[in-house]
């Protein structure tokens, strides 16, 4: 069992502790780590602006962990007794002096920046200026939430500020997709089995689809989303990370830098044709009013906080090529969107047809073999193969070979944030994004954003609850290639 004994006692500072992410993800993840005996000598200090008393904060924490099952009342009480509220603004130097007092007696420190992105720089600079970025007695690490920059220049400036206060080894840029079990299992699938790697290349693979679909709209975050859009919010980070893990070469070993070296090579090998000819290879669109899960929902342009003439895309699809011997000529098509028919994240590898087709009536196409890796919901892996329908005739039907995490290992798959927090406590940053990966992906995405900034006029629309805009079909219009059903 992995332990973090050497890393304790530990104090975790959450900047932005009264926010949504702490409530939904961070506090439940920390409580689960505590229940699983991954945290014993620890304190959690929540830093935020609201005038909350300690009692009120602890009541709030009790609510935040209410849905984590399998805990006794005593365990809940002990966890809640370990949290402390530090009321201050990020701009007030006194807040950092109070922070120092809270850190006393704890050789190891983790700072979690769960703040609005506009506050990252203030907090990082202040930690540096107050001498809180280093410790002589233990480790100091900083976890930075997404978004990491909104273009190449802002990502570079954030990286250089971070690196002026912390060493790269202390910096953990989170992309919670990498904490998902199935994403890690993709590496196990590829490199822990002998049968996949030989066919994982342009001789056998026709194309690869990566889908990150949401059925939710922008909700109350219209203001934030207006400045982001699907390309920034989903493609530059999560979807590119999935692409890198799907396409990377086998690393020399499983050390963090060996894996991250291979991932960054994939992003650097992206063929510039996609951003040189964005109108051929990239599609963007916005959702209009429609029906999702049986309820009528508004279109993007009438959501709260959204400019009625907004040009922010809620859907983006890209056709990418990799300049490498392994992948030359194989399209990787990526798509993401809000208000699609359902929530689903999936990587699917579509194999070439066999060279001859003897089965079935003349002209009837065989289905391609598809290996699909479902990241959410119902994490698992399915391989579609063609099978003979029992009977006297020779008729073919695709069937699937399924592996579902839930049925193979039981339902207790750890939450992504839990795994990633634990890795940060152990000092393992394999599943965090390195500065060069982030800058390489921004450098590519920036060129598409630059092109869009020269365009005017309304964006194509797709009905909420649909599979996305018709325009995206063209990205896969070759032969029998089709998008998988969302
Ligand atoms: N929410 C999610 O599901 C989600 C998912 C992925 C990534 N993220 C990222 O995680 C980060 C946090 O998101 P969130 O949704 O939790 O944000 P949020 O709900 O807006 O919370 C922001 C937090 O920052 C505090 N804060 C803001 N300005 C401050 C200041 N000047 N001084 C002191 N405290 C200040 C707020 O304190 P008060 O409220 O007390 O003023 C609050 O605790 C963001 O970078 C976001 O992009 C969020």
């Amino acid at each position: 069992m992995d332990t973090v004994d050497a890393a304790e006692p530990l104090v975790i500072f959450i900047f932005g502790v009264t926010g949504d992410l702490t409530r939904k993800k961070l506090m439940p993840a920390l409580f689960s780590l505590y229940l699983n005996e991954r945290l014993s000598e620890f304190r959690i200090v929540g830093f935020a602006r609201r005038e909350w008393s300690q009692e009120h904060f602890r009541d709030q924490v009790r609510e935040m962990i209410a849905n984590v099952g399998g805990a006794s009342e005593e365990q809940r009480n002990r966890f809640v007794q370990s949290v402390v509220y530090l009321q201050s603004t990020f701009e007030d130097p006194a807040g950092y002096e109070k922070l120092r007092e809270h850190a006393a007696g704890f050789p190891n420190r983790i700072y979690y920046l769960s703040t609005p992105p506009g506050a990252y720089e203030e907090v990082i600079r202040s930690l540096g200026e107050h001498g809180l970025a280093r410790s002589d007695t233990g480790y100091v690490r900083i976890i930075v939430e997404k978004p990491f920059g909104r273009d190449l220049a802002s990502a570079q400036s954030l990286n250089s500020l971070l690196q002026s206060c912390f060493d790269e080894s202390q910096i953990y840029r989170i992309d919670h997709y990498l904490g998902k079990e199935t994403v890690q299992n993709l590496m196990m699938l590829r490199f822990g089995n002998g049968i996949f790697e030989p066919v994982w290349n342009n001789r056998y693979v026709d194309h690869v689809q990566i889908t990150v679909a949401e059925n939710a709209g922008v909700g109350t975050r219209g203001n934030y989303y207006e400045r982001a859009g699907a390309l920034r919010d989903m493609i530059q980070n999560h979807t590119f990370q999935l692409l890198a893990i799907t396409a990377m070469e086998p690393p020399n070993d499983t050390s963090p830098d060996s894996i991250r070296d291979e991932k960054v090579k994939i992003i650097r090998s992206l063929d510039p044709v996609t951003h040189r000819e964005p109108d051929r290879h990239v599609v963007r669109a916005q959702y209009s009013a429609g029906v999702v899960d049986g309820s009528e929902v508004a279109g993007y342009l009438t959501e709260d906080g959204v400019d009625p003439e907004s040009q922010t895309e809620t859907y983006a699809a890209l056709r990418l090529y990799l300049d490498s011997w392994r992948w030359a000529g194989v399209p990787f098509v990526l798509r993401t969107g809000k208000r699609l028919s359902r929530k689903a994240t999936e990587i699917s590898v579509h194999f070439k047809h066999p060279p001859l087709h003897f089965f079935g009536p003349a002209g009837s196409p065989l289905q391609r073999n598809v290996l699909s890796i479902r990241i959410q919901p119902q994490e698992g892996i399915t391989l579609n193969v063609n099978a003979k329908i029992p009977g006297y005739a020779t008729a073919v039907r695709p069937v699937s070979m399924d592996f579902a995490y839930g049925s193979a290992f039981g339902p207790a798959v750890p939450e992504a944030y839990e795994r990633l927090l634990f890795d940060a406590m152990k000092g393992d940053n394999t599943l965090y994004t390195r500065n060069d990966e982030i800058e390489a992906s921004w450098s590519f995405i920036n060129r598409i954003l630059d092109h869009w900034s020269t365009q005017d006029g309304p964006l194509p629309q797709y009905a909420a609850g649909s599979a996305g805009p018709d325009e995206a079909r063209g990205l896969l219009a070759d032969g029998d290639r089709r998008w998988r059903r969302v």
Side-chain angles (χ1 to χ4, degrees):
M1 178 165 100
D2 284 325
T3 63
V4 286
D5 292 346
E8 293 192 328
L10 165 67
V11 56
I12 301 171
F13 292 93
I14 302 179
F15 291 88
V17 80
T18 56
D20 184 54
L21 183 69
T22 307
R23 177 171 295 275
K24 282 193 325 210
K25 299 288 182 188
L26 302 183
M27 215 48 98
L30 287 167
F31 185 50
S32 285
L33 286 169
Y34 166 74
L35 290 179
N36 290 317
E37 296 174 17
R38 301 301 207 262
L39 267 179
S40 50
E41 269 191 84
F42 71 102
R43 178 185 289 169
I44 297 168
V45 180
F47 194 130
R49 186 167 41 189
R50 274 171 226 193
E51 303 271 349
W52 278 0
S53 66
Q54 291 302 345
E55 292 66 39
H56 184 70
F57 179 57
R58 288 185 171 157
D59 289 346
Q60 290 293 315
V61 171
R62 198 178 286 282
E63 272 178 29
M64 294 176 202
I65 61 172
N67 291 333
V68 181
S72 65
E73 210 36 46
E74 192 198 335
Q75 287 170 312
R76 289 181 195 280
N77 289 338
R78 283 190 49 208
F79 182 81
V80 168
Q81 289 309 311
S82 309
V83 301
V84 182
Y85 189 57
L86 191 171
Q87 192 278 322
S88 173
T89 65
F90 300 146
E91 296 76 13
D92 183 356
Y96 298 87
E97 290 312 314
K98 283 192 225 162
L99 187 156
R100 189 192 306 287
E101 287 162 25
H102 283 295
F106 290 89
N108 303 300
R109 260 174 273 157
I110 291 181
Y111 303 120
Y112 198 117
L113 296 199
S114 179
T115 72
Y120 294 164
E121 299 204 344
E122 178 70 48
V123 177
I124 296 164
R125 193 173 299 112
S126 303
L127 289 170
E129 283 171 2
H130 286 80
L132 293 163
R134 321 251 170 202
S135 156
D136 296 332
T137 51
Y139 69 72
V140 179
R141 298 181 186 135
I142 183 163
I143 304 178
V144 186
E145 255 303 331
K146 78 156 219 192
F148 195 94
R150 64 181 317 275
D151 52 23
L152 178 60
S154 54
Q156 283 172 327
S157 131
L158 186 54
N159 268 333
S160 66
L161 174 65
L162 267 168
Q163 287 170 330
S164 69
C165 303
F166 297 87
D167 291 332
E168 180 62 28
S169 62
Q170 295 177 275
I171 304 167
Y172 290 68
R173 300 171 192 81
I174 203 160
D175 188 320
H176 69 271
Y177 270 57
L178 295 182
K180 291 181 186 283
E181 255 334 292
T182 327
V183 176
Q184 294 155 47
N185 192 38
L186 178 53
M187 279 196 265
M188 184 72 84
L189 180 85
R190 289 192 55 198
F191 307 131
N193 294 289
I195 62 169
F196 297 111
E197 259 334 88
V199 295
W200 212 258
N201 55 51
N202 57 5
R203 279 188 70 190
Y204 299 100
V205 174
D206 178 76
H207 72 279
V208 177
Q209 300 186 15
I210 302 181
T211 299
V212 181
E214 296 178 281
N215 55 2
V218 289
T220 54
R221 304 183 79 213
N223 261 328
Y224 159 80
Y225 201 79
E226 273 289 88
R227 280 179 46 76
L231 199 62
R232 286 190 173 94
D233 198 41
M234 286 289 181
I235 300 278
Q236 177 273 331
N237 38 46
H238 308 316
T239 320
F240 269 21
Q241 287 295 320
L242 300 182
L243 165 73
I245 293 180
T246 307
M248 73 192 222
E249 292 298 321
N252 290 349
D253 52 48
T254 56
S255 72
D257 278 332
S258 297
I259 292 175
R260 299 191 300 179
D261 286 346
E262 296 306 332
K263 278 168 55 205
V264 72
K265 280 189 211 161
I266 293 298
I267 307 299
R268 289 194 181 128
S269 72
L270 284 169
D271 188 325
V273 69
T274 303
H275 56 69
R276 256 192 230 132
E277 299 172 33
D279 296 335
R280 277 187 57 213
H281 298 286
V282 185
V283 169
R284 61 174 170 158
Q286 278 169 346
Y287 61 82
S288 56
V291 178
V292 174
D293 290 337
S295 305
E296 287 187 13
V297 297
Y300 180 65
L301 297 178
T302 57
E303 298 271 23
D304 281 350
V306 172
D307 174 356
E309 295 188 9
S310 170
Q311 293 233 314
T312 301
E313 77 289 355
T314 62
Y315 178 99
L318 289 80
R319 180 171 52 214
L320 302 166
Y321 293 93
L322 300 173
D323 283 334
S324 70
W325 278 48
R326 186 193 279 262
W327 294 117
V330 177
F332 283 74
V333 284
L334 276 46
R335 65 180 160 166
T336 184
K338 289 201 174 286
R339 283 287 188 231
L340 294 174
S341 52
R342 67 191 178 97
K343 183 176 167 78
T345 302
E346 182 191 79
I347 300 165
S348 56
V349 181
H350 299 243
F351 289 90
K352 291 186 175 168
H353 288 298
L356 288 177
H357 170 23
F358 331 100
F359 305 113
S364 72
L366 280 180
Q367 301 279 321
R368 290 180 190 285
N369 297 126
V370 179
L371 181 70
S372 61
I373 297 124
R374 280 186 315 282
I375 293 156
Q376 61 186 12
Q378 278 127 27
E379 303 178 298
I381 298 174
T382 300
L383 178 64
N384 287 350
V385 295
N386 291 306
K388 180 183 173 299
I389 302 175
Y392 299 114
T394 303
V396 186
R397 200 178 73 195
V399 293
S400 60
M401 290 158 62
D402 271 318
F403 153 67
Y405 259 89
S407 45
F409 295 116
V413 174
E415 271 279 325
Y417 276 94
E418 198 179 320
R419 162 70 199 247
L420 292 171
L421 278 162
F422 183 56
D423 281 359
M425 285 154 48
K426 286 189 302 174
D428 179 349
N429 51 13
T430 314
L431 299 177
Y432 287 84
T433 321
R434 209 168 53 189
N435 56 340
D436 52 353
E437 288 180 76
I438 293 212
E439 292 185 16
S441 61
W442 272 124
S443 157
F444 191 88
I445 291 294
N446 228 70
R447 292 179 162 100
I448 299 170
L449 292 169
D450 286 348
H451 170 74
W452 285 352
S453 69
T454 65
Q455 311 287 298
D456 234 347
L459 298 193
Q461 305 279 302
Y462 59 98
S466 70
D470 293 342
E471 287 78 356
R473 279 201 216 119
L475 295 180
L476 265 181
D478 220 1
D480 64 347
R481 292 174 181 163
R482 299 280 176 278
W483 285 108
R484 285 186 38 103
R485 198 175 304 150
V486 182

